[in-house]
Amino acid sequence: GFTLVEVLVVIAILGAVAAAAAPYLRSVGSTSTLAAFTDGFFTHLHLARSEAIKRRGPVVLCKSADGEACAATGGWEQGWIVFVDTDGDGMRAEAEPVLGRGVALQPGFRLRGNLNVSRYVLFMPSGATKTSSGAFQAGTLTVCRASLEATEARQIVINAVGRPRQQKLTLEHCD
């Protein structure tokens, strides 16, 4: 058997170890959630690009709150859809088939695109990206946890030929 003093000492030690490990475990959880969100979006970018090449027609990935129509406002964190853009306008018409849906990110996370990719990414049959007006489209999408302090982030950079890549970085803040 154990005496009461021995049990209390073990409980105190376990409490101290748990208190010291809690910030680290929270950081690991946040990092893995950030990576999962980035990977999910990255997978849908590859889906859109490969479907455009396979179907020999434009395919769009756009932000969408309802999983059916492209959203004109808000960030990518509300969710997104991949669809065949038969009319090439960058917006989903009712007859255009949806190929994939991304669900909204957890509260407190942001997914924002810079000017050229703030609303949609349109892949052409060559695999390159273009705007609905036919102009060159490349840009950067940033995934981060909302914070007024320095925070870990992931970026997806889409280059001139439509190929996406990921990179890790630290932002001064994420709002």
Side-chain angles (χ1 to χ4, degrees):
F2 298 105
T3 66
L4 181 61
V5 172
E6 291 172 330
V7 171
L8 290 175
V9 167
V10 169
I11 290 173
I13 292 171
L14 287 175
V17 169
Y24 173 74
L25 292 175
R26 208 172 12 255
S27 172
V28 168
S30 179
T31 299
S32 65
T33 302
L34 190 65
F37 290 154
T38 306
D39 290 344
F41 191 82
F42 196 71
T43 298
H44 279 99
L45 276 170
H46 278 289
L47 170 67
R49 187 170 193 249
S50 66
E51 286 294 320
I53 295 167
K54 180 178 91 174
R55 293 171 182 265
R56 297 184 181 143
V59 174
V60 170
L61 181 133
C62 71
K63 58 188 178 182
S64 174
D66 63 4
E68 294 296 325
C70 295
T73 61
W76 285 92
E77 64 270 4
Q78 64 189 306
W80 55 86
I81 56 174
V82 176
F83 66 95
V84 178
D85 191 19
T86 55
D87 58 9
D89 67 352
M91 299 297 288
R92 181 173 178 264
E94 193 171 323
E96 295 174 329
V98 174
L99 305 173
R101 290 178 174 85
V103 298
L105 304 186
Q106 290 177 3
F109 284 87
R110 303 282 182 263
L111 173 52
R112 303 292 164 96
N114 64 2
L115 185 61
N116 290 333
V117 293
S118 63
R119 289 189 12 235
Y120 66 90
V121 180
L122 190 153
F123 289 96
M124 301 305 290
S126 65
T129 50
K130 302 277 184 195
T131 65
S132 59
S133 66
F136 166 78
Q137 184 186 38
T140 303
L141 297 124
T142 304
V143 185
C144 56
R145 179 182 276 286
S147 174
L148 298 175
E149 300 173 358
T151 186
E152 182 181 7
R154 300 283 193 282
Q155 284 186 329
I156 298 172
V157 180
I158 302 171
N159 69 13
V161 294
R163 186 168 297 141
R165 67 177 170 81
Q166 292 185 44
Q167 63 187 24
K168 296 178 185 180
L169 71 150
T170 301
L171 297 176
E172 289 182 24
H173 59 84
C174 177
D175 51 356

